[in-house]
Amino acid sequence: MEERSAETADLKPDGTCRSAPFSFPAGAETLALENAQRGLNVTGAGDGNRTRMASLEDWNSTIELRPPNDARSVLIDLTTVKRHVIRTRTPGWSSSRSPTTSSGEILPVRMPRRTRRLPETILTAACLAFFAVFLLYPIGFTLRHSFGLPGETAVNPLSQVFENPLLREAFFNSILIATTTVALASMLALGLAWPMSRWDFAGKPQLSALLLAPILLPPFVGAIGLQQLFARFGALNLFLIHHGWMNPEAPIDWLGSGGLPAIILLQVLHFYPVLFLTLSAAMTQLDPSLRESAAGLGASAWRELRTITLPLVRPGWMAGATVVWIGALTDLGTPLITGYSRVVPVQIFDSLNDLNSSSQGYVLVAALIGLIAGVFLATRRFASATARPAPMRGARPALPVARPIRTVLFWGGIGLLLAVSVLPHFSVGLVAFSSHWFFSPLPDAWTLSNFREVARHGLTASSVRNSFVFAGLSSVLDLGLGLGIAWLVSRRAGKLAGLLDTLAMLPLAVPGLVLAFGYFAGFEVNEKHHPWLDAWLDPRTNPTFLLVISYAVRRLPYMVRAAFAGFEQMSPALEEASAMLGAGPVRTFFRITLPLIGAHLMAGMILTFAFAMLEVSDSLILAQRDRFYPITKQIWQLMGRIDPGAPGVACALGLFGMGLLAVSLAGARRLVGRRSRALFQA
């Protein structure tokens, strides 16, 4: 068998190829290039045809070139092949992408790169369209109407806020609540994170996990128990009166005037774990040699904390503090339960019935967006200007073991904090299991009738069913969106992928109150002109669609982070090897990708489902008809009734929601292990 000689490939020092001129012999051998990621199949002509495999760096598809029988040689310049430009120097071959025979017949070229990019383009366009309609449009609609309703003279929204005494007071109180919450939560978090980053002691992993427990305890539900305990005639005062330690004619008002201290206390106990996570993560990354140098120079522990640790962890603290500040500022459920109406969220909630006749609601939301944007940009700029990166060098040395007295103090202090944190929700459990608790320190009798009422009563049973349906559908939607966005960001990095990642994280900075108001105002449908849209899109008629969308948008960051973590831990070479062996994208996804990232996806779905079950702002604003009430809206309705048994049923609903959230978070942690902390970090 005649065999024509092949020229040697011109290789760079790193093993890649500059150009590979070669001939097509009757029997061809394989040309393997080192450090290659993709492949080009070139099938020769003649007796006993075999395949040349020229593995090309930066080549993203497999193209099969079938030369004519009279072709003698082909020159493939690998330096110009990055965008499918194949330069040939052989008679009978064209200089275009598709080879031709001597008679001009175009030979087949399989799987061009642009064709393979078509699904990516469709996926990117679909995700951008989703964010444009359900994230940017509600915000833009609200901002546009804040300058005046159609037909009205344009006004300055800020002037309306500052000229109205009630609105000025509402903004002052909201800012006071948010700022005080950040200050107190920061002190708690710093007092916990600093000793945990310096010493090791018995039970430290267990205590770290317990410190995150207040995340499971929504302040909306805890407000019910707090009132039961610390109202003027709550359990604490009745206990003191019963023992003669308090004058029954002048009981102490532990909750303060109108419940403002109660709101701050509940917010602090709920949000300090967020700051604990950010501070402990930042302190863990510090270089231990800095602390050792400070100690060697005679600096005290307090001076080392003030001059070294705090300046270095300031960017991480400010990121967490911004999230806490926005959450405390826009919380709607806790002021509604405590009956404190002079805050911005409650004023926005009360304005829903006058949207067509008054622009006050739009003005409040626009001012709130401006305030949040200003604080966010200011903190980000300040954190960037004052950042002093000091990464840890090498492996982290073992921490010194704390003395027994310190271990006892750690356990005692953390135990006391946890006891205070769960006390309001423990009271919720007592109310749920009590048949009668009135003017007595403890319930007079115990019963399960409240839970039976939840299952048997039409409205409460339907609220549980509605929450399961809304949360389930939203978690499925989050799965599709989060998986697609995470794949684009991790596997197809680019400007549009970066934009998608930013939009996916934006709900962490945009409060649910703002989005829910935008949905309620922006998707109002004229029933006479579009009856079918009114039945499915207008929240005043049927809020199912918008509730699912709002839940999905609010919790999408969790799913994106979970899926992204899975992709980052999976080597792209596995997917590439599957494609090289002939598997299509669908088969590669189900046989390779999905089994490897399945645990992360399941953990993300569990988290999105559980948090959607207890979503407050969206449920209170969008669900306007009782047959569509989710759990949180039904709890608020029950607490407003005069029926003496209503609080017990409301607490039973709240206890059910908290139990579901606790089980879900435990399941997510079991699936992804210690990496579950990454699901809460943007």
Side-chain angles (χ1 to χ4, degrees):
M1 180 174 64
E2 179 184 0
E3 180 171 342
R4 303 180 181 87
S5 60
E7 297 181 25
T8 305
D10 183 13
L11 300 179
K12 296 180 181 179
D14 60 358
T16 58
C17 187
R18 292 192 182 93
S19 62
F22 55 87
S23 302
F24 280 92
E29 69 280 2
T30 299
L31 175 63
L33 302 182
E34 189 178 357
N35 297 331
Q37 296 180 349
R38 305 286 181 179
L40 174 65
N41 287 339
V42 184
T43 303
D47 298 334
N49 288 341
R50 282 181 272 171
T51 301
R52 283 183 191 272
M53 175 65 72
S55 297
L56 309 180
E57 187 177 8
D58 297 328
W59 187 260
N60 293 327
S61 62
T62 302
I63 296 182
E64 187 175 1
L65 306 178
R66 298 182 181 274
N69 292 332
D70 58 349
R72 294 299 180 185
S73 62
V74 177
L75 177 62
I76 302 177
D77 188 350
L78 302 185
T79 62
T80 61
V81 82
K82 293 182 179 180
R83 295 191 178 274
H84 293 271
V85 178
I86 300 175
R87 295 182 179 178
T88 63
R89 298 180 182 176
T90 299
W93 290 74
S94 70
S95 60
S96 61
R97 298 176 187 172
S98 300
T100 62
T101 63
S102 58
S103 61
E105 179 184 2
I106 298 178
L107 297 174
V109 178
R110 187 178 57 178
M111 298 172 65
R113 184 177 181 181
R114 288 188 178 181
T115 302
R116 293 191 56 167
R117 281 196 168 184
L118 182 60
E120 303 172 23
T121 304
I122 295 176
L123 178 60
T124 303
C127 292
L128 289 175
F130 178 85
F131 286 122
V133 175
F134 297 112
L135 182 61
L136 302 181
Y137 165 73
I139 299 174
F141 182 89
T142 302
L143 293 176
R144 181 167 60 89
H145 283 72
S146 65
F147 292 93
L149 298 177
E152 294 183 352
T153 304
V155 294
N156 185 354
L158 293 179
S159 64
Q160 296 188 51
V161 172
F162 290 114
E163 291 174 0
N164 190 321
L166 176 61
L167 299 185
R168 284 202 310 269
E169 183 183 1
F171 264 94
F172 174 79
N173 291 334
S174 295
I175 295 174
L176 176 63
I177 291 173
T179 306
T180 308
T181 298
V182 169
L184 296 179
S186 297
M187 288 188 287
L188 278 178
L190 181 62
L192 295 169
W194 186 66
M196 283 198 164
S197 66
R198 290 180 60 92
W199 293 287
D200 196 7
F201 55 90
K204 181 178 177 179
Q206 292 75 15
L207 279 181
S208 298
L210 288 175
L211 284 173
L212 305 181
I215 295 179
L216 311 177
L217 309 176
F220 172 75
V221 179
I224 304 174
L226 199 68
Q227 285 187 317
Q228 185 69 38
L229 290 175
F230 299 111
R232 292 179 63 86
F233 291 98
L236 178 60
N237 283 353
L238 291 175
F239 175 81
L240 297 176
I241 291 172
H242 179 74
H243 288 81
W245 298 336
M246 181 180 290
N247 182 5
E249 301 296 331
I252 298 176
D253 185 7
W254 299 101
L255 300 182
S257 176
L260 185 62
I263 296 174
I264 295 175
L265 175 62
L266 287 169
Q267 300 288 8
V268 170
L269 296 178
H270 177 68
F271 282 117
Y272 82 81
V274 177
L275 289 170
F276 169 72
L277 280 176
T278 57
L279 285 174
S280 60
M283 291 181 180
T284 302
Q285 298 301 319
L286 294 181
D287 189 350
S289 63
L290 298 176
R291 183 181 300 155
E292 296 170 359
S293 300
L297 293 173
S300 63
W302 165 248
R303 187 176 181 183
E304 176 262 319
L305 173 66
R306 180 172 53 86
T307 59
I308 296 178
T309 303
L310 289 183
L312 292 176
V313 303
R314 185 183 297 134
W317 170 80
M318 294 191 72
T322 303
V323 173
V324 172
W325 192 86
I326 294 174
L329 180 76
T330 59
D331 179 43
L332 174 61
T334 307
L336 281 178
I337 292 295
T338 57
Y340 192 76
S341 61
R342 294 180 179 270
V343 289
V344 174
V346 177
Q347 293 298 316
I348 293 174
F349 181 76
D350 292 339
S351 69
L352 294 177
N353 296 326
D354 301 323
L355 290 182
N356 295 326
S357 59
S358 173
S359 61
Q360 177 175 308
Y362 298 101
V363 169
L364 288 172
V365 174
L368 196 62
I369 293 174
L371 178 62
I372 292 173
V375 170
F376 181 79
L377 293 176
T379 54
R380 184 175 182 179
R381 183 175 181 180
F382 180 75
S384 300
T386 59
R388 297 181 176 89
M392 187 180 64
R393 300 173 184 173
R396 180 177 177 84
L399 296 175
V401 178
R403 291 178 294 180
I405 184 63
R406 281 180 176 166
T407 302
V408 173
L409 291 176
F410 290 156
W411 273 95
I414 295 174
L416 179 62
L417 176 61
L418 291 175
V420 175
S421 300
V422 303
L423 186 60
H425 300 82
F426 179 75
S427 177
V428 170
L430 293 180
V431 177
F433 285 100
S434 65
S435 60
H436 184 264
W437 191 359
F438 186 70
F439 265 87
S440 60
L442 291 174
D444 300 325
W446 306 97
T447 183
L448 295 175
S449 60
N450 293 322
F451 294 92
R452 288 194 292 266
E453 186 70 15
V454 169
R456 290 186 300 187
H457 194 278
L459 291 179
T460 54
S462 66
S463 69
V464 176
R465 183 171 57 253
N466 290 337
S467 290
F468 269 102
V469 172
F470 301 156
L473 292 176
S474 69
S475 62
V476 173
L477 180 58
D478 276 334
L479 175 64
L481 288 171
L483 184 60
I485 294 171
W487 181 79
L488 289 171
V489 172
S490 62
R491 295 294 189 260
R492 297 293 185 268
K495 293 182 179 180
L496 289 180
L499 175 62
L500 281 177
D501 191 33
T502 301
L503 291 174
M505 295 298 107
L506 191 59
L508 293 176
V510 178
L513 177 70
V514 172
L515 285 178
F517 183 90
Y519 291 150
F520 188 85
F523 288 92
E524 182 180 5
V525 179
N526 191 319
E527 183 178 2
K528 295 181 179 179
H529 295 91
H530 306 284
W532 63 278
L533 278 178
D534 176 74
W536 291 99
L537 191 59
D538 195 331
R540 298 161 184 80
T541 305
N542 186 350
T544 300
F545 178 76
L546 287 181
L547 278 173
V548 172
I549 293 295
S550 63
Y551 289 174
V553 172
R554 289 280 292 139
R555 303 305 171 188
L556 180 60
Y558 295 159
M559 179 58 73
V560 172
R561 290 299 98 186
F564 184 79
F567 280 117
E568 286 295 293
Q569 293 176 11
M570 174 187 169
S571 174
L574 298 175
E575 298 168 307
E576 295 165 2
S578 176
M580 292 285 291
L581 293 173
V586 176
R587 187 179 183 186
T588 299
F589 174 77
F590 283 102
R591 296 293 298 273
I592 304 295
T593 307
L594 187 59
L596 293 176
I597 67 172
H600 292 82
L601 298 181
M602 183 60 66
M605 282 195 68
I606 291 174
L607 288 177
T608 56
F609 174 82
F611 281 107
M613 287 286 294
L614 292 179
E615 185 65 44
V616 178
S617 298
D618 307 75
S619 302
L620 293 177
I621 290 178
L622 294 176
Q624 296 294 313
R625 295 192 176 185
D626 52 9
R627 67 191 184 96
F628 297 110
Y629 283 174
I631 288 178
T632 49
K633 185 63 176 282
Q634 190 62 52
I635 291 175
W636 178 69
Q637 283 289 103
L638 288 170
M639 290 304 298
R641 294 183 180 179
I642 304 178
D643 183 3
V649 179
C651 289
L653 274 175
L655 197 64
F656 169 79
M658 289 189 295
L660 179 65
L661 185 59
V663 172
S664 300
L665 287 181
R669 182 177 178 83
R670 185 176 182 84
L671 281 173
V672 298
R674 294 184 177 181
R675 296 189 300 271
S676 59
R677 287 191 177 191
L679 303 181
F680 296 95
Q681 298 173 357

